[in-house]
Amino acid sequence: MQNGTLNIRRWLAAIVLLLLVPILLFSTLWLRQTLSSLTTLDRSLGGLAAISSLEPALRQAALGTSVMPVPQELNLATEIPLRPNLRAQIADNYQSLITVHAISSAMTEARTIARLVGRAVDLSGAVSLDNGELPDLVSDTLLTVILESSSMLLAGERVAVKDEINLWDRMAITVQGGQFKVAADQVARISKEFFPKKDMPSVHRLQDLAQRYRAANGDYQKAGSQLLRSALEAGRGHQVIVAPVRAEFLALARASLDLWRGAIDHLQDDLQQSRATKRLAVLTASTSSGLVIVFALGMALFLSRKLETKTAKEFNDISLTDPLTGLLNRRGLMRMLLELGSEKDDATAGLLHLDLRRFRAINTRHGEDIGDVVLRTVAQLLSELTQDDDVVVRAGGAEFIIFRRHLTHPSALETLAERIVQSLSNEHAIGSHSIQLDTCIGLSLSQKGSGIGEQLLTDASLALKDAKLKGASNICLFAPHIRLNFERHNEIAKDLRKALEQGHIVPWYQPQICARTGQIVGAEALVRWVGADGSVRPPAAFLPIAEEAGYMDAIDKVVREAAMAKAAKLMKLSHIPFHIGLNVSATVLSEPDCVKMLLEETLAAGLKPQQVSIEILEAVMLDAFDAKPILDNVAALADLGFFIELDDFGTGHASIASLRDLKVDRVKIDRSFVDGVDHDTELQTFTRALIQLARSLGISVLAEGIETEAERIWLTENGCDILQGYFFAKPLPREEITEMVTRQPFALPAEDLARRPSVELRVL
């Protein structure tokens, strides 16, 4: 009877605990999340204050005068979460800002400071949805407008003093003008379409400042158009008209800085209102939540004494050591954390989880034996960098873990991570090879008095995933929002894997039209996720998650093979030469077997290399580690006859260099230089210059994003070879592209072709 009573009590205790645990968790999480939000708001306000303190130096640099004195040091509040090396970097940037004489250099330093501070305090995530566009204007775009407009003026003044003007002089002004126009028009569009509409004094002032900016921008662009036209037509420097640009620059810089200041003031008002609302919520709910927590803890403690604790099972004969490096392995670490899980003290424990980037490429290029030596070298380096009581673990593959039981200060773990990143980035002599390594690192800290358990490792692993998304050599400290993002991404990744297995990841095709004949001569393959119910997801909805989950290689392969097979069938249906455009990622282009793989896939589909266009973004050239193998592979593909196409031409500083370094057959004029080109005279000047520059170098031109007949006519008359855009067709599934290629709905009658002037066109 006594045993039966005890069992009943145990069951009742278990039921009560099951009911109380969700209440306890909800109350605790709600309070922690609200207090965390208040901390985030305080950090964001501190970050805005730091950014706004740049104003005297900015006005002095851009306008030559400032009402307020220029501080000799930038005041960075201690609550702004910046690592020591970043604080030192920002201090150096500020000293450069107040000492340099060139406006462009000063704006570059100011923009770097604003970006670093804005990212550190997560300014974009702290503001309300109505103000979602303002943080980017404050930390980037408005400063870019001043930078690019001053650079355009400087480029014009340099050319104006030359006796003779060459092609590269014209290209310098053209590209610089294009950079300015992209940034300036983005500010104008955002200020007109997305600024907040609330009835607040700061909103009214912001809208008034935005109107003044748009007026100053229009005047400067007219002057810039006059400068560009004169540079394209002039043979000597004195014929270049610079004075109007010089005259309008101060007005544009002043309007940009006034709008920048107004945006900061409005964001500060918005954050203060959010902070007041959350403080009120905390004050009204903390008492009741505290009572719930106390009650739940009391009941849990009372009932836990009625339950018998279960003894932990001993591990069977398992190896706790990694045979390659001699370090503890993941299983050994888990056993240690389990043993420490019940211990509680006031010390903070920390865990560092790192992954060597591109380790697979090292194995592929140098062999697995060299890869093993690299792992042993990294293990030795980590052991040398850590303290005697630290635990260094090889978690598997190219992943390592460092566990520190007692942290003197939370920043000590970040300092260790920075030292590891720096040490790995040095050249390491491995056999006859000199190898540089880079890594991403995730960090997690235990809460005082909460004990140590598997959650510490889980948090560090999630932080590592977040660091990988941000790029090379990134260090990320775990925060609660990282877990929420991971759970959402994980669900999408599971569905994406099923979609790959079931054939729901497919290419759609956007036709490319010959400007002279109106015939469909090609199509760009664009990935789509077509659900079983017929729903269609665009690339932006799943490609970032696919890259995080490691599915990009599979998606790229599926799209390439299906697209080339479709192209081969289309060529049998039409007598017109046809080619397929493929977007090839930097990851694929950097692989040693890239050329062999693409050639084999092309031939297996029944195509020739000349019928396949390899589309490359300028951004793939920016990573120094990958640049050399990419250049080599692109050159090899060009030698085999593949058609090399540079995407988004005209939007980046690397355009001219890319045309020189890559064997480019064709450039794609970006959508920003096509939208409204039929009636926007300033835009016509820029777009015409880009077309002429490409054709003067013997490079074919494709314009994408065409949406109107007027745009088509203007681009055709001004020398574009190939046209693409919604005016002709959106991306189409395979059945519809077959029907369109067969029907050729845009082909011009023979009598119209006879009347058209001949335009030199590169044949694929």
Side-chain angles (χ1 to χ4, degrees):
M1 183 68 179
Q2 186 175 2
N3 290 336
T5 303
L6 182 58
N7 287 333
I8 293 174
R9 288 177 179 173
R10 290 174 179 172
W11 279 107
L12 289 174
I15 293 172
V16 173
L17 275 176
L18 287 174
L19 293 175
L20 287 178
V21 165
I23 299 174
L24 172 62
L25 290 176
F26 176 78
S27 301
T28 304
L29 291 175
W30 186 89
L31 280 173
R32 287 184 62 184
Q33 184 175 2
T34 305
L35 292 173
S36 176
S37 298
L38 281 172
T39 302
T40 300
L41 289 172
D42 288 338
R43 288 178 177 175
S44 297
L45 284 167
L48 272 179
I51 294 173
S52 67
S53 65
L54 298 173
E55 184 178 7
L58 288 175
R59 291 190 180 275
Q60 184 66 42
L63 307 178
T65 180
S66 174
V67 176
M68 299 173 287
V70 178
Q72 294 305 302
E73 292 183 358
L74 184 65
N75 183 21
L76 287 174
T78 56
E79 62 263 27
I80 299 177
L82 289 168
R83 297 194 298 273
N85 64 324
L86 285 182
R87 284 184 178 271
Q89 178 186 337
I90 290 175
D92 292 340
N93 291 135
Y94 185 76
Q95 290 304 311
S96 298
L97 166 61
I98 63 177
T99 55
V100 297
H101 299 292
I103 298 176
S104 59
S105 299
M107 292 303 115
T108 299
E109 300 294 349
R111 185 176 63 180
T112 299
I113 294 172
R115 285 175 174 173
L116 289 173
V117 174
R119 283 200 294 264
V121 300
D122 192 20
L123 189 56
S124 297
V127 301
S128 61
L129 292 177
D130 291 342
N131 299 300
E133 298 287 345
L134 294 186
D136 189 61
L137 290 185
V138 168
S139 62
D140 191 315
T141 317
L142 278 167
L143 298 178
T144 299
V145 169
I146 303 175
L147 187 158
E148 300 298 352
S149 59
S150 66
S151 298
M152 181 179 178
L153 172 58
L154 180 60
E157 290 176 337
R158 286 175 177 170
V159 173
V161 298
K162 289 191 173 184
D163 290 334
E164 294 184 359
I165 302 175
N166 58 34
L167 173 63
W168 298 110
D169 293 330
R170 296 186 179 93
M171 290 180 72
I173 296 178
T174 300
V175 173
Q176 195 60 63
Q179 286 296 114
F180 160 72
K181 182 171 178 59
V182 169
D185 286 355
Q186 182 181 358
V187 174
R189 178 181 60 82
I190 291 174
S191 68
K192 191 174 183 180
E193 298 177 6
F194 298 104
F195 266 21
K197 304 296 191 297
K198 295 180 180 178
D199 188 15
M200 296 170 56
S202 61
V203 172
H204 297 321
R205 180 169 179 268
L206 192 62
Q207 292 172 344
D208 179 63
L209 292 173
Q211 187 173 359
R212 295 180 192 176
Y213 166 83
R214 290 194 293 270
N217 176 41
D219 293 339
Y220 189 88
Q221 290 210 23
K222 290 178 182 177
S225 178
Q226 188 176 2
L227 167 63
L228 183 55
R229 284 196 298 269
S230 66
L232 292 174
E233 297 169 0
R236 296 184 176 276
H238 68 84
Q239 297 173 325
V240 177
I241 303 174
V242 184
V245 175
R246 188 183 301 113
E248 297 295 338
F249 171 75
L250 284 179
L252 176 62
R254 184 174 290 106
S256 299
L257 287 174
D258 289 345
L259 181 57
W260 180 81
R261 177 74 253 184
I264 289 177
D265 291 342
H266 178 72
L267 285 176
Q268 287 175 328
D269 290 348
D270 176 66
L271 292 175
Q272 289 288 6
Q273 287 187 2
S274 298
R275 188 175 185 277
T277 301
K278 288 188 179 296
R279 282 181 62 86
L280 180 62
V282 171
L283 291 174
T284 56
S286 58
T287 302
S288 58
S289 298
L291 290 174
V292 171
I293 293 174
V294 171
F295 175 76
L297 286 174
M299 288 298 296
L301 181 61
F302 173 77
L303 293 173
S304 65
R305 292 175 179 175
K306 301 294 184 179
L307 300 176
E308 295 180 355
T309 57
K310 295 183 179 180
T311 58
K313 295 182 180 179
E314 295 291 337
F315 285 106
N316 295 324
D317 293 332
I318 56 173
S319 173
L320 303 178
T321 304
D322 175 51
L324 178 64
T325 62
L327 299 175
L328 202 66
N329 62 19
R330 191 184 189 95
R331 190 181 296 274
L333 174 66
M334 295 302 298
R335 180 174 180 175
M336 176 186 296
L337 293 178
L338 182 64
E339 292 173 351
L340 294 173
S342 59
E343 297 182 11
K344 295 185 180 181
D345 54 35
D346 291 333
T348 299
L351 195 143
L352 182 154
H353 192 175
L354 70 89
D355 185 20
L356 300 178
R357 298 180 74 244
R358 303 188 182 93
F359 181 72
R360 187 179 67 174
I362 293 175
N363 269 342
T364 302
R365 294 175 192 173
H366 305 301
E368 292 186 1
D369 290 341
I370 294 296
D372 289 346
V373 177
V374 169
L375 292 175
R376 286 194 291 268
T377 301
V378 172
Q380 181 179 354
L381 178 65
L382 295 179
S383 299
E384 293 172 353
L385 291 173
T386 51
Q387 300 176 355
D388 292 340
D389 56 349
D390 289 344
V391 179
V392 184
V393 179
R394 184 190 173 201
E399 296 185 18
F400 292 83
I401 293 172
I402 297 174
F403 173 66
R404 181 167 292 182
R405 181 69 181 89
H406 298 284
L407 280 172
T408 56
H409 192 276
S411 63
L413 198 63
E414 294 189 56
T415 302
L416 173 61
E418 291 166 4
R419 291 177 60 201
I420 291 172
V421 170
Q422 179 62 42
S423 299
L424 289 177
S425 66
N426 298 328
E427 290 191 356
H428 301 273
I430 308 294
S432 60
H433 305 283
S434 180
I435 297 177
Q436 283 182 298
L437 303 170
D438 65 71
T439 182
C440 289
I441 299 180
L443 309 175
S444 64
L445 303 174
S446 68
Q447 300 299 317
K448 289 185 177 181
S450 63
I452 300 170
E454 187 177 351
Q455 190 62 47
L456 192 64
L457 176 57
T458 301
D459 292 347
S461 299
L462 293 177
L464 174 61
K465 291 179 181 292
D466 195 60
K468 288 180 179 179
L469 291 177
K470 297 176 181 177
S473 303
N474 205 279
I475 300 170
C476 179
L477 178 63
F478 175 79
H481 72 273
I482 293 177
R483 179 180 290 108
L484 297 177
N485 291 339
F486 173 76
E487 291 173 353
R488 180 173 60 86
H489 289 181
N490 195 38
E491 290 301 318
I492 297 176
K494 290 179 181 177
D495 294 340
L496 180 58
R497 181 175 182 178
K498 293 179 182 178
L500 274 168
E501 295 172 350
Q502 297 170 0
H504 293 313
I505 304 299
V506 298
W508 281 24
Y509 308 88
Q510 188 168 31
Q512 297 171 336
I513 316 300
C514 174
R516 187 176 64 85
T517 66
Q519 295 173 331
I520 301 174
V521 295
E524 180 181 5
L526 302 165
V527 64
R528 293 292 186 271
W529 181 350
V530 181
D533 58 353
S535 60
V536 180
R537 300 192 202 185
F542 62 91
L543 285 188
I545 298 171
E547 185 170 1
E548 178 185 350
Y551 296 156
M552 282 304 301
D553 287 349
I555 291 176
D556 287 344
K557 185 176 181 62
V558 165
V559 171
R560 283 198 310 271
E561 291 181 349
M564 287 194 284
K566 184 63 180 177
K569 293 179 180 179
L570 290 174
M571 291 176 192
K572 296 178 181 179
L573 298 176
S574 174
H575 66 283
I576 301 170
F578 186 89
H579 78 284
I580 189 70
L582 301 175
N583 293 284
V584 182
S585 67
T587 302
V588 173
L589 286 172
S590 63
E591 290 293 335
D593 61 346
C594 162
V595 176
K596 178 175 179 291
M597 176 188 68
L598 290 176
L599 180 61
E600 289 177 351
E601 291 177 354
T602 300
L603 298 178
L607 299 177
K608 299 177 181 178
Q610 293 81 1
Q611 296 166 323
V612 178
S613 175
I614 305 296
E615 298 189 15
I616 305 169
L617 288 171
E618 288 179 2
V620 305
M621 303 307 300
L622 300 181
D623 191 320
F625 184 89
D626 283 335
K628 182 61 168 61
I630 290 175
L631 280 172
D632 293 343
N633 284 335
V634 169
L637 290 169
D639 291 340
L640 289 172
F642 284 94
F643 202 76
I644 307 301
E645 185 172 290
L646 191 64
D647 207 352
D648 294 342
F649 179 62
T651 62
H653 286 293
S655 298
I656 299 174
S658 299
L659 291 174
R660 291 174 177 172
D661 296 339
L662 299 175
K663 297 181 180 180
V664 175
D665 295 294
R666 183 165 69 197
V667 296
K668 262 191 176 183
I669 300 291
D670 184 68
R671 168 68 184 154
S672 61
F673 294 98
V674 172
D675 185 14
V677 73
D678 56 297
H679 60 270
D680 187 332
T681 55
E682 284 78 18
L683 182 60
Q684 289 175 358
T685 302
F686 289 109
T687 306
R688 185 184 294 111
L690 290 174
I691 296 172
Q692 291 174 356
L693 290 173
R695 295 187 67 87
S696 68
L697 297 174
I699 296 175
S700 177
V701 180
L702 182 151
E704 64 178 341
I706 300 170
E707 294 189 358
T708 67
E709 170 69 6
E711 291 173 353
R712 182 198 68 78
I713 293 173
W714 190 93
L715 290 164
T716 301
E717 292 176 347
N718 282 272
C720 278
D721 302 310
I722 306 295
L723 309 175
Q724 179 179 342
Y726 281 13
F727 172 73
F728 301 101
K730 296 181 179 180
L732 303 171
R734 58 183 182 180
E735 298 83 5
E736 294 182 26
I737 191 65
T738 300
E739 187 274 335
M740 182 171 284
V741 171
T742 304
R743 187 164 53 90
Q744 289 290 345
F746 312 112
L748 298 174
E751 56 271 20
D752 289 351
L753 287 175
R755 289 194 297 268
R756 282 200 167 195
S758 176
V759 177
E760 181 185 353
L761 176 65
R762 299 193 59 156
V763 179
L764 300 179

